[in-house]
Amino acid sequence: MIRALPGCRTVGGGRAEAMAGARDTFLDVFRSFGYRLFFPSGLQSLEDVWPRVTPAFRRRLVTLLSPGGEPCCLRGDLTLAAVAHLVAHHEPHERPLRLCYADRVYRIPGDSGEPLERFQVGAELLGWEGHGADAELLALLMRSLARMGATGCTAVLGDVTLVEEALEALPAPIGAALGEALRRQDLTTYQGIMARAELPAERRPLLEELPWLKGDRTVLDRAVRLGVAPSRVAPLHFLAETLESLECGADLRFDLALFRELGYYSGPVFEIYAPCGGRPLGGGGRYDGLLASHGLLGQALGVALDLEALAEATLEKKEGRPGVMVWGGSGTSAHTMKVAELLVGRGWTVELSWIEDATASRSLARIKKFRWWVDGAAESVTFLRNSHTVPLERWLAKPEDQGEDGSC
Amino acid sequence: MLTVALPTGRVMEEARTLLKNLGLPTEALGQGGRDLVVEEGTMRYLLAKPTDVPVYVLWGAADLALAGSDVLRESGAPLVELGDTGYGRCRLAVAGPPAISALFSGAGNRRQGLRVATKYPRIAEGHFSARGTQVEIVPLHGSIELAPRLAMADCILDIVQTGSTLRANGLVVLEDVGPVSLRMVASPRSARLRWDLIAPLVRAMETHRKR
């Protein structure tokens, strides 16, 4: 018996198809806009990763020694790998660098039973200057979600620098405790600290309201009324306006206390939610500081989504079109392959069946839920529900109309 | 419609009282039928085993829940904790026979290797390891107080309300772990996308608690 290791993921069947579909669509959209595919190493040097992530995330790294005896971890995050790739392989004049990927990450499961390994798709835009990139990345992300059939997804925007600025004028222990409560999404602790702490009177209104600044774009105006400089919310306004003009505005919400787990973000951040499920599909944001930690100037932005969660959001929509089974039991293999290639060339997905018995092959096709069975040698097509058979050439002309109503 | 997961058992009645005080419909909830899904007005209530309540929220089956802070801490589910309802107050404590109370008054190494029976293995592990003490956890699902009497464990980590159950089993509180109360939680998704419906309930809860 093969034992499945706890937390490890092996995916097949319809879910794997849905994952592949979501992955391909995501990568197609980003590659069309100049994002280059990137396959990072599965091992990362612990020396590089450790100082760049939060203590909570460090505890989730799967650490080990490389065969050379160097402390390493299994890749826990793809953004760090992307930045390391930029540093190691690209000259300053080659920036900005646009990367996209579909790969696995490994994290020690948290308390709520997450898997050890996850499939992620993501994109990174590294080393750019000026406005526009946030909107580019988010717009492409929303486009790709729509194209893969993950309809009804919502992007929640925040800005970690707003939180940092709200907390920075406070005595360090109080600021740190409030920040930690927000990171853990623990408003009970947050309110408890607020009730006990002696805070500058002018900071209190904003700090009290910060966890409540969630909702539509009006929360940005509320933040300004509470003392946030208009220039500080301008990037979020700009992003919202751009996305609205690209018809993604209906899918936007704001949470000005939004934190991301990894801890290297340094500007606008976002999370993506599907219509179902309690947790986000993923998210991303600005991480200029991470770039700076490698000695690079400039801005950086990335997104990563959980591919299995994405597949879940698209699974029902992707199971619509069955393929065609092509039987090669009575003719030459070469002829059957040519018929299969003809069908693939017309956009069909085929599965070859080399069973000698045609009846057994048709039964198998029915079990596998194929609608059509093609006899490669006879060049005929059988509609499996009522066994109507038509010549392949005629069927190819109008496949959806033939067989179902017996019109032929 | 907002869906709220509620814990059956010990705190159910308190949860119902709270909901009523927040102005939410609770008549059908009070009728004590066997339905595990109760719809009243714009609310849908899911009645679940207390330890399952965080799971319902995390997987998006419920927008909100009322759950004990002990259950939330033990589950480790990354939920948004919206506030302390003030209901269901009790304490988590380490308790044991008076004979071992001296072990809890000195340095941590005195407690090294103790066997601790509990239905909160994660909390127990965290509590003792944070003090540098290695203990052996004996996970149980009920009648925890029996364990020291039957020599299965040296002490227990459990909820203490009045202390009468402890006394009845010859146990005393040895160390406080922390307060417990009924908390209102939401899934990250609902806290961000349904805040317009949730925020008034949180405000009402805060107002009610301050009275």
Side-chain angles (χ1 to χ4, degrees), chain A residues 335-368:
Chain A
H335 186 73
T336 305
M337 282 298 294
K338 281 181 185 165
V339 170
E341 281 170 354
L342 170 73
L343 288 164
V344 169
R346 301 283 184 97
W348 293 93
T349 302
V350 302
E351 181 174 325
L352 288 152
S353 165
W354 301 107
I355 303 172
E356 286 189 4
D357 181 357
T359 308
S361 175
R362 275 193 295 270
S363 298
L364 182 65
R366 286 191 181 96
I367 290 167
K368 291 192 162 194

PDB file of all heavy atoms in Angstrom, chain A residues 335-368:
ATOM      1  N   HIS A 335      -2.894   5.503 -38.995  1.00  0.00           N
ATOM      2  CA  HIS A 335      -4.114   6.137 -39.496  1.00  0.00           C
ATOM      3  C   HIS A 335      -4.942   6.699 -38.339  1.00  0.00           C
ATOM      4  O   HIS A 335      -5.471   7.816 -38.411  1.00  0.00           O
ATOM      5  CB  HIS A 335      -4.935   5.121 -40.303  1.00  0.00           C
ATOM      6  CG  HIS A 335      -6.128   5.746 -40.960  1.00  0.00           C
ATOM      7  ND1 HIS A 335      -6.022   6.592 -42.055  1.00  0.00           N
ATOM      8  CD2 HIS A 335      -7.451   5.705 -40.640  1.00  0.00           C
ATOM      9  CE1 HIS A 335      -7.219   7.024 -42.388  1.00  0.00           C
ATOM     10  NE2 HIS A 335      -8.116   6.498 -41.541  1.00  0.00           N
ATOM     11  N   THR A 336      -5.030   5.906 -37.253  1.00  0.00           N
ATOM     12  CA  THR A 336      -5.791   6.367 -36.091  1.00  0.00           C
ATOM     13  C   THR A 336      -5.174   7.636 -35.508  1.00  0.00           C
ATOM     14  O   THR A 336      -5.879   8.590 -35.143  1.00  0.00           O
ATOM     15  CB  THR A 336      -5.829   5.259 -35.018  1.00  0.00           C
ATOM     16  OG1 THR A 336      -6.341   4.080 -35.603  1.00  0.00           O
ATOM     17  CG2 THR A 336      -6.692   5.661 -33.837  1.00  0.00           C
ATOM     18  N   MET A 337      -3.830   7.651 -35.456  1.00  0.00           N
ATOM     19  CA  MET A 337      -3.144   8.844 -34.939  1.00  0.00           C
ATOM     20  C   MET A 337      -3.441  10.060 -35.814  1.00  0.00           C
ATOM     21  O   MET A 337      -3.625  11.169 -35.309  1.00  0.00           O
ATOM     22  CB  MET A 337      -1.625   8.615 -34.881  1.00  0.00           C
ATOM     23  CG  MET A 337      -1.154   7.781 -33.712  1.00  0.00           C
ATOM     24  SD  MET A 337      -1.515   8.511 -32.103  1.00  0.00           S
ATOM     25  CE  MET A 337      -0.498   9.969 -32.127  1.00  0.00           C
ATOM     26  N   LYS A 338      -3.516   9.833 -37.147  1.00  0.00           N
ATOM     27  CA  LYS A 338      -3.792  10.957 -38.048  1.00  0.00           C
ATOM     28  C   LYS A 338      -5.196  11.496 -37.823  1.00  0.00           C
ATOM     29  O   LYS A 338      -5.428  12.713 -37.842  1.00  0.00           O
ATOM     30  CB  LYS A 338      -3.632  10.510 -39.515  1.00  0.00           C
ATOM     31  CG  LYS A 338      -2.176  10.465 -39.932  1.00  0.00           C
ATOM     32  CD  LYS A 338      -2.018  10.055 -41.378  1.00  0.00           C
ATOM     33  CE  LYS A 338      -0.544   9.919 -41.710  1.00  0.00           C
ATOM     34  NZ  LYS A 338      -0.314   9.196 -42.949  1.00  0.00           N
ATOM     35  N   VAL A 339      -6.161  10.570 -37.610  1.00  0.00           N
ATOM     36  CA  VAL A 339      -7.534  11.014 -37.325  1.00  0.00           C
ATOM     37  C   VAL A 339      -7.555  11.817 -36.009  1.00  0.00           C
ATOM     38  O   VAL A 339      -8.180  12.873 -35.913  1.00  0.00           O
ATOM     39  CB  VAL A 339      -8.489   9.796 -37.233  1.00  0.00           C
ATOM     40  CG1 VAL A 339      -9.859  10.218 -36.695  1.00  0.00           C
ATOM     41  CG2 VAL A 339      -8.634   9.153 -38.604  1.00  0.00           C
ATOM     42  N   ALA A 340      -6.822  11.297 -35.002  1.00  0.00           N
ATOM     43  CA  ALA A 340      -6.776  11.995 -33.709  1.00  0.00           C
ATOM     44  C   ALA A 340      -6.164  13.386 -33.873  1.00  0.00           C
ATOM     45  O   ALA A 340      -6.663  14.372 -33.310  1.00  0.00           O
ATOM     46  CB  ALA A 340      -5.981  11.165 -32.709  1.00  0.00           C
ATOM     47  N   GLU A 341      -5.095  13.464 -34.653  1.00  0.00           N
ATOM     48  CA  GLU A 341      -4.440  14.761 -34.871  1.00  0.00           C
ATOM     49  C   GLU A 341      -5.354  15.736 -35.608  1.00  0.00           C
ATOM     50  O   GLU A 341      -5.359  16.935 -35.334  1.00  0.00           O
ATOM     51  CB  GLU A 341      -3.129  14.563 -35.635  1.00  0.00           C
ATOM     52  CG  GLU A 341      -2.013  14.083 -34.715  1.00  0.00           C
ATOM     53  CD  GLU A 341      -0.765  13.646 -35.462  1.00  0.00           C
ATOM     54  OE1 GLU A 341      -0.791  13.596 -36.711  1.00  0.00           O
ATOM     55  OE2 GLU A 341       0.226  13.334 -34.780  1.00  0.00           O
ATOM     56  N   LEU A 342      -6.155  15.191 -36.553  1.00  0.00           N
ATOM     57  CA  LEU A 342      -7.118  16.025 -37.265  1.00  0.00           C
ATOM     58  C   LEU A 342      -8.108  16.639 -36.263  1.00  0.00           C
ATOM     59  O   LEU A 342      -8.405  17.844 -36.308  1.00  0.00           O
ATOM     60  CB  LEU A 342      -7.864  15.171 -38.301  1.00  0.00           C
ATOM     61  CG  LEU A 342      -9.070  15.828 -38.964  1.00  0.00           C
ATOM     62  CD1 LEU A 342      -8.627  16.890 -39.961  1.00  0.00           C
ATOM     63  CD2 LEU A 342      -9.946  14.794 -39.676  1.00  0.00           C
ATOM     64  N   LEU A 343      -8.588  15.807 -35.341  1.00  0.00           N
ATOM     65  CA  LEU A 343      -9.550  16.294 -34.346  1.00  0.00           C
ATOM     66  C   LEU A 343      -8.914  17.329 -33.415  1.00  0.00           C
ATOM     67  O   LEU A 343      -9.514  18.364 -33.115  1.00  0.00           O
ATOM     68  CB  LEU A 343     -10.096  15.114 -33.521  1.00  0.00           C
ATOM     69  CG  LEU A 343     -11.060  14.191 -34.278  1.00  0.00           C
ATOM     70  CD1 LEU A 343     -11.233  12.874 -33.534  1.00  0.00           C
ATOM     71  CD2 LEU A 343     -12.404  14.873 -34.468  1.00  0.00           C
ATOM     72  N   VAL A 344      -7.701  17.032 -32.986  1.00  0.00           N
ATOM     73  CA  VAL A 344      -6.997  17.981 -32.106  1.00  0.00           C
ATOM     74  C   VAL A 344      -6.801  19.300 -32.835  1.00  0.00           C
ATOM     75  O   VAL A 344      -6.979  20.386 -32.260  1.00  0.00           O
ATOM     76  CB  VAL A 344      -5.651  17.385 -31.630  1.00  0.00           C
ATOM     77  CG1 VAL A 344      -4.802  18.444 -30.937  1.00  0.00           C
ATOM     78  CG2 VAL A 344      -5.892  16.209 -30.700  1.00  0.00           C
ATOM     79  N   GLY A 345      -6.484  19.206 -34.115  1.00  0.00           N
ATOM     80  CA  GLY A 345      -6.301  20.407 -34.920  1.00  0.00           C
ATOM     81  C   GLY A 345      -7.563  21.234 -35.020  1.00  0.00           C
ATOM     82  O   GLY A 345      -7.514  22.444 -35.228  1.00  0.00           O
ATOM     83  N   ARG A 346      -8.714  20.575 -34.896  1.00  0.00           N
ATOM     84  CA  ARG A 346      -9.996  21.313 -34.933  1.00  0.00           C
ATOM     85  C   ARG A 346     -10.429  21.760 -33.532  1.00  0.00           C
ATOM     86  O   ARG A 346     -11.563  22.165 -33.328  1.00  0.00           O
ATOM     87  CB  ARG A 346     -11.101  20.425 -35.512  1.00  0.00           C
ATOM     88  CG  ARG A 346     -10.835  19.924 -36.911  1.00  0.00           C
ATOM     89  CD  ARG A 346     -11.081  21.016 -37.957  1.00  0.00           C
ATOM     90  NE  ARG A 346     -10.912  20.499 -39.306  1.00  0.00           N
ATOM     91  CZ  ARG A 346     -11.917  20.090 -40.077  1.00  0.00           C
ATOM     92  NH1 ARG A 346     -13.151  20.137 -39.617  1.00  0.00           N
ATOM     93  NH2 ARG A 346     -11.688  19.635 -41.290  1.00  0.00           N
ATOM     94  N   GLY A 347      -9.554  21.581 -32.545  1.00  0.00           N
ATOM     95  CA  GLY A 347      -9.848  22.102 -31.208  1.00  0.00           C
ATOM     96  C   GLY A 347     -10.411  21.086 -30.233  1.00  0.00           C
ATOM     97  O   GLY A 347     -10.787  21.445 -29.117  1.00  0.00           O
ATOM     98  N   TRP A 348     -10.504  19.824 -30.652  1.00  0.00           N
ATOM     99  CA  TRP A 348     -11.044  18.815 -29.748  1.00  0.00           C
ATOM    100  C   TRP A 348      -9.959  18.216 -28.879  1.00  0.00           C
ATOM    101  O   TRP A 348      -8.796  18.174 -29.265  1.00  0.00           O
ATOM    102  CB  TRP A 348     -11.711  17.667 -30.536  1.00  0.00           C
ATOM    103  CG  TRP A 348     -12.936  18.119 -31.242  1.00  0.00           C
ATOM    104  CD1 TRP A 348     -13.015  18.576 -32.525  1.00  0.00           C
ATOM    105  CD2 TRP A 348     -14.232  18.224 -30.695  1.00  0.00           C
ATOM    106  NE1 TRP A 348     -14.289  18.953 -32.824  1.00  0.00           N
ATOM    107  CE2 TRP A 348     -15.063  18.741 -31.702  1.00  0.00           C
ATOM    108  CE3 TRP A 348     -14.789  17.939 -29.458  1.00  0.00           C
ATOM    109  CZ2 TRP A 348     -16.414  18.984 -31.505  1.00  0.00           C
ATOM    110  CZ3 TRP A 348     -16.128  18.159 -29.262  1.00  0.00           C
ATOM    111  CH2 TRP A 348     -16.934  18.684 -30.276  1.00  0.00           C
ATOM    112  N   THR A 349     -10.370  17.741 -27.709  1.00  0.00           N
ATOM    113  CA  THR A 349      -9.461  16.964 -26.868  1.00  0.00           C
ATOM    114  C   THR A 349      -9.786  15.497 -27.127  1.00  0.00           C
ATOM    115  O   THR A 349     -10.963  15.118 -27.123  1.00  0.00           O
ATOM    116  CB  THR A 349      -9.705  17.277 -25.379  1.00  0.00           C
ATOM    117  OG1 THR A 349      -9.524  18.675 -25.193  1.00  0.00           O
ATOM    118  CG2 THR A 349      -8.740  16.517 -24.495  1.00  0.00           C
ATOM    119  N   VAL A 350      -8.772  14.698 -27.372  1.00  0.00           N
ATOM    120  CA  VAL A 350      -9.049  13.297 -27.704  1.00  0.00           C
ATOM    121  C   VAL A 350      -8.370  12.376 -26.697  1.00  0.00           C
ATOM    122  O   VAL A 350      -7.384  12.735 -26.053  1.00  0.00           O
ATOM    123  CB  VAL A 350      -8.541  12.930 -29.120  1.00  0.00           C
ATOM    124  CG1 VAL A 350      -9.164  13.819 -30.170  1.00  0.00           C
ATOM    125  CG2 VAL A 350      -7.026  12.986 -29.205  1.00  0.00           C
ATOM    126  N   GLU A 351      -8.959  11.200 -26.578  1.00  0.00           N
ATOM    127  CA  GLU A 351      -8.286  10.130 -25.854  1.00  0.00           C
ATOM    128  C   GLU A 351      -8.301   8.912 -26.770  1.00  0.00           C
ATOM    129  O   GLU A 351      -9.348   8.536 -27.309  1.00  0.00           O
ATOM    130  CB  GLU A 351      -9.009   9.826 -24.536  1.00  0.00           C
ATOM    131  CG  GLU A 351      -8.295   8.731 -23.757  1.00  0.00           C
ATOM    132  CD  GLU A 351      -8.894   8.500 -22.363  1.00  0.00           C
ATOM    133  OE1 GLU A 351      -9.350   9.486 -21.732  1.00  0.00           O
ATOM    134  OE2 GLU A 351      -8.899   7.333 -21.937  1.00  0.00           O
ATOM    135  N   LEU A 352      -7.140   8.314 -26.958  1.00  0.00           N
ATOM    136  CA  LEU A 352      -7.036   7.153 -27.851  1.00  0.00           C
ATOM    137  C   LEU A 352      -7.378   5.878 -27.098  1.00  0.00           C
ATOM    138  O   LEU A 352      -7.040   5.712 -25.932  1.00  0.00           O
ATOM    139  CB  LEU A 352      -5.615   7.076 -28.421  1.00  0.00           C
ATOM    140  CG  LEU A 352      -5.344   8.170 -29.465  1.00  0.00           C
ATOM    141  CD1 LEU A 352      -3.879   8.519 -29.503  1.00  0.00           C
ATOM    142  CD2 LEU A 352      -5.844   7.750 -30.835  1.00  0.00           C
ATOM    143  N   SER A 353      -8.069   4.990 -27.784  1.00  0.00           N
ATOM    144  CA  SER A 353      -8.429   3.700 -27.203  1.00  0.00           C
ATOM    145  C   SER A 353      -7.916   2.608 -28.136  1.00  0.00           C
ATOM    146  O   SER A 353      -8.296   2.542 -29.300  1.00  0.00           O
ATOM    147  CB  SER A 353      -9.957   3.609 -27.066  1.00  0.00           C
ATOM    148  OG  SER A 353     -10.338   2.278 -26.843  1.00  0.00           O
ATOM    149  N   TRP A 354      -7.037   1.746 -27.625  1.00  0.00           N
ATOM    150  CA  TRP A 354      -6.430   0.699 -28.467  1.00  0.00           C
ATOM    151  C   TRP A 354      -7.009  -0.685 -28.169  1.00  0.00           C
ATOM    152  O   TRP A 354      -6.489  -1.693 -28.610  1.00  0.00           O
ATOM    153  CB  TRP A 354      -4.904   0.671 -28.267  1.00  0.00           C
ATOM    154  CG  TRP A 354      -4.239   1.980 -28.605  1.00  0.00           C
ATOM    155  CD1 TRP A 354      -3.725   2.872 -27.747  1.00  0.00           C
ATOM    156  CD2 TRP A 354      -4.050   2.532 -29.918  1.00  0.00           C
ATOM    157  NE1 TRP A 354      -3.219   3.964 -28.403  1.00  0.00           N
ATOM    158  CE2 TRP A 354      -3.404   3.778 -29.748  1.00  0.00           C
ATOM    159  CE3 TRP A 354      -4.383   2.120 -31.215  1.00  0.00           C
ATOM    160  CZ2 TRP A 354      -3.067   4.603 -30.823  1.00  0.00           C
ATOM    161  CZ3 TRP A 354      -4.033   2.942 -32.280  1.00  0.00           C
ATOM    162  CH2 TRP A 354      -3.393   4.177 -32.071  1.00  0.00           C
ATOM    163  N   ILE A 355      -8.110  -0.725 -27.405  1.00  0.00           N
ATOM    164  CA  ILE A 355      -8.753  -2.011 -27.122  1.00  0.00           C
ATOM    165  C   ILE A 355      -9.221  -2.625 -28.452  1.00  0.00           C
ATOM    166  O   ILE A 355      -9.763  -1.910 -29.300  1.00  0.00           O
ATOM    167  CB  ILE A 355      -9.986  -1.807 -26.214  1.00  0.00           C
ATOM    168  CG1 ILE A 355      -9.566  -1.105 -24.918  1.00  0.00           C
ATOM    169  CG2 ILE A 355     -10.686  -3.122 -25.900  1.00  0.00           C
ATOM    170  CD1 ILE A 355     -10.743  -0.685 -24.055  1.00  0.00           C
ATOM    171  N   GLU A 356      -9.049  -3.923 -28.629  1.00  0.00           N
ATOM    172  CA  GLU A 356      -9.420  -4.536 -29.922  1.00  0.00           C
ATOM    173  C   GLU A 356     -10.923  -4.596 -30.119  1.00  0.00           C
ATOM    174  O   GLU A 356     -11.415  -4.475 -31.239  1.00  0.00           O
ATOM    175  CB  GLU A 356      -8.809  -5.940 -30.014  1.00  0.00           C
ATOM    176  CG  GLU A 356      -7.307  -5.871 -30.269  1.00  0.00           C
ATOM    177  CD  GLU A 356      -6.706  -7.214 -30.576  1.00  0.00           C
ATOM    178  OE1 GLU A 356      -7.464  -8.190 -30.668  1.00  0.00           O
ATOM    179  OE2 GLU A 356      -5.473  -7.279 -30.694  1.00  0.00           O
ATOM    180  N   ASP A 357     -11.657  -4.812 -29.030  1.00  0.00           N
ATOM    181  CA  ASP A 357     -13.104  -4.968 -29.115  1.00  0.00           C
ATOM    182  C   ASP A 357     -13.790  -3.602 -29.122  1.00  0.00           C
ATOM    183  O   ASP A 357     -13.691  -2.840 -28.155  1.00  0.00           O
ATOM    184  CB  ASP A 357     -13.563  -5.800 -27.894  1.00  0.00           C
ATOM    185  CG  ASP A 357     -15.072  -6.043 -27.907  1.00  0.00           C
ATOM    186  OD1 ASP A 357     -15.748  -5.520 -28.813  1.00  0.00           O
ATOM    187  OD2 ASP A 357     -15.551  -6.735 -26.993  1.00  0.00           O
ATOM    188  N   ALA A 358     -14.492  -3.323 -30.235  1.00  0.00           N
ATOM    189  CA  ALA A 358     -15.142  -2.013 -30.373  1.00  0.00           C
ATOM    190  C   ALA A 358     -16.203  -1.799 -29.305  1.00  0.00           C
ATOM    191  O   ALA A 358     -16.359  -0.690 -28.764  1.00  0.00           O
ATOM    192  CB  ALA A 358     -15.768  -1.902 -31.763  1.00  0.00           C
ATOM    193  N   THR A 359     -16.961  -2.834 -28.957  1.00  0.00           N
ATOM    194  CA  THR A 359     -18.022  -2.694 -27.953  1.00  0.00           C
ATOM    195  C   THR A 359     -17.419  -2.329 -26.604  1.00  0.00           C
ATOM    196  O   THR A 359     -17.931  -1.455 -25.886  1.00  0.00           O
ATOM    197  CB  THR A 359     -18.814  -4.014 -27.831  1.00  0.00           C
ATOM    198  OG1 THR A 359     -19.234  -4.393 -29.139  1.00  0.00           O
ATOM    199  CG2 THR A 359     -20.025  -3.856 -26.935  1.00  0.00           C
ATOM    200  N   ALA A 360     -16.315  -3.004 -26.257  1.00  0.00           N
ATOM    201  CA  ALA A 360     -15.646  -2.698 -24.982  1.00  0.00           C
ATOM    202  C   ALA A 360     -15.125  -1.270 -24.982  1.00  0.00           C
ATOM    203  O   ALA A 360     -15.196  -0.565 -23.961  1.00  0.00           O
ATOM    204  CB  ALA A 360     -14.504  -3.682 -24.747  1.00  0.00           C
ATOM    205  N   SER A 361     -14.616  -0.829 -26.130  1.00  0.00           N
ATOM    206  CA  SER A 361     -14.102   0.534 -26.216  1.00  0.00           C
ATOM    207  C   SER A 361     -15.230   1.552 -26.033  1.00  0.00           C
ATOM    208  O   SER A 361     -15.083   2.551 -25.324  1.00  0.00           O
ATOM    209  CB  SER A 361     -13.420   0.733 -27.578  1.00  0.00           C
ATOM    210  OG  SER A 361     -13.020   2.079 -27.719  1.00  0.00           O
ATOM    211  N   ARG A 362     -16.401   1.261 -26.665  1.00  0.00           N
ATOM    212  CA  ARG A 362     -17.541   2.182 -26.516  1.00  0.00           C
ATOM    213  C   ARG A 362     -18.016   2.212 -25.058  1.00  0.00           C
ATOM    214  O   ARG A 362     -18.378   3.255 -24.537  1.00  0.00           O
ATOM    215  CB  ARG A 362     -18.683   1.768 -27.456  1.00  0.00           C
ATOM    216  CG  ARG A 362     -18.519   2.335 -28.873  1.00  0.00           C
ATOM    217  CD  ARG A 362     -19.807   2.187 -29.661  1.00  0.00           C
ATOM    218  NE  ARG A 362     -20.151   0.795 -29.903  1.00  0.00           N
ATOM    219  CZ  ARG A 362     -19.758   0.093 -30.972  1.00  0.00           C
ATOM    220  NH1 ARG A 362     -19.003   0.665 -31.893  1.00  0.00           N
ATOM    221  NH2 ARG A 362     -20.109  -1.164 -31.115  1.00  0.00           N
ATOM    222  N   SER A 363     -18.017   1.044 -24.399  1.00  0.00           N
ATOM    223  CA  SER A 363     -18.426   0.989 -22.986  1.00  0.00           C
ATOM    224  C   SER A 363     -17.495   1.839 -22.130  1.00  0.00           C
ATOM    225  O   SER A 363     -17.935   2.587 -21.248  1.00  0.00           O
ATOM    226  CB  SER A 363     -18.400  -0.451 -22.463  1.00  0.00           C
ATOM    227  OG  SER A 363     -19.303  -1.221 -23.184  1.00  0.00           O
ATOM    228  N   LEU A 364     -16.214   1.713 -22.417  1.00  0.00           N
ATOM    229  CA  LEU A 364     -15.228   2.495 -21.671  1.00  0.00           C
ATOM    230  C   LEU A 364     -15.467   3.996 -21.877  1.00  0.00           C
ATOM    231  O   LEU A 364     -15.394   4.804 -20.949  1.00  0.00           O
ATOM    232  CB  LEU A 364     -13.807   2.121 -22.115  1.00  0.00           C
ATOM    233  CG  LEU A 364     -12.670   2.806 -21.390  1.00  0.00           C
ATOM    234  CD1 LEU A 364     -12.630   2.408 -19.922  1.00  0.00           C
ATOM    235  CD2 LEU A 364     -11.329   2.467 -22.044  1.00  0.00           C
ATOM    236  N   ALA A 365     -15.784   4.348 -23.140  1.00  0.00           N
ATOM    237  CA  ALA A 365     -16.042   5.763 -23.452  1.00  0.00           C
ATOM    238  C   ALA A 365     -17.241   6.273 -22.663  1.00  0.00           C
ATOM    239  O   ALA A 365     -17.249   7.401 -22.177  1.00  0.00           O
ATOM    240  CB  ALA A 365     -16.268   5.933 -24.952  1.00  0.00           C
ATOM    241  N   ARG A 366     -18.268   5.420 -22.539  1.00  0.00           N
ATOM    242  CA  ARG A 366     -19.472   5.832 -21.768  1.00  0.00           C
ATOM    243  C   ARG A 366     -19.110   6.011 -20.300  1.00  0.00           C
ATOM    244  O   ARG A 366     -19.545   6.965 -19.653  1.00  0.00           O
ATOM    245  CB  ARG A 366     -20.571   4.783 -21.920  1.00  0.00           C
ATOM    246  CG  ARG A 366     -21.238   4.829 -23.285  1.00  0.00           C
ATOM    247  CD  ARG A 366     -22.495   3.974 -23.334  1.00  0.00           C
ATOM    248  NE  ARG A 366     -23.096   4.025 -24.651  1.00  0.00           N
ATOM    249  CZ  ARG A 366     -22.895   3.119 -25.611  1.00  0.00           C
ATOM    250  NH1 ARG A 366     -22.126   2.069 -25.389  1.00  0.00           N
ATOM    251  NH2 ARG A 366     -23.452   3.262 -26.794  1.00  0.00           N
ATOM    252  N   ILE A 367     -18.321   5.062 -19.763  1.00  0.00           N
ATOM    253  CA  ILE A 367     -17.905   5.159 -18.345  1.00  0.00           C
ATOM    254  C   ILE A 367     -17.131   6.452 -18.112  1.00  0.00           C
ATOM    255  O   ILE A 367     -17.293   7.126 -17.093  1.00  0.00           O
ATOM    256  CB  ILE A 367     -17.044   3.930 -17.954  1.00  0.00           C
ATOM    257  CG1 ILE A 367     -17.931   2.675 -17.917  1.00  0.00           C
ATOM    258  CG2 ILE A 367     -16.342   4.133 -16.613  1.00  0.00           C
ATOM    259  CD1 ILE A 367     -17.147   1.374 -17.862  1.00  0.00           C
ATOM    260  N   LYS A 368     -16.325   6.799 -19.088  1.00  0.00           N
ATOM    261  CA  LYS A 368     -15.505   8.009 -18.937  1.00  0.00           C
ATOM    262  C   LYS A 368     -16.258   9.277 -19.326  1.00  0.00           C
ATOM    263  O   LYS A 368     -15.659  10.348 -19.447  1.00  0.00           O
ATOM    264  CB  LYS A 368     -14.230   7.878 -19.771  1.00  0.00           C
ATOM    265  CG  LYS A 368     -13.263   6.829 -19.227  1.00  0.00           C
ATOM    266  CD  LYS A 368     -11.912   6.940 -19.904  1.00  0.00           C
ATOM    267  CE  LYS A 368     -10.863   6.230 -19.088  1.00  0.00           C
ATOM    268  NZ  LYS A 368      -9.508   6.582 -19.506  1.00  0.00           N
TER     269      LYS A 368
END
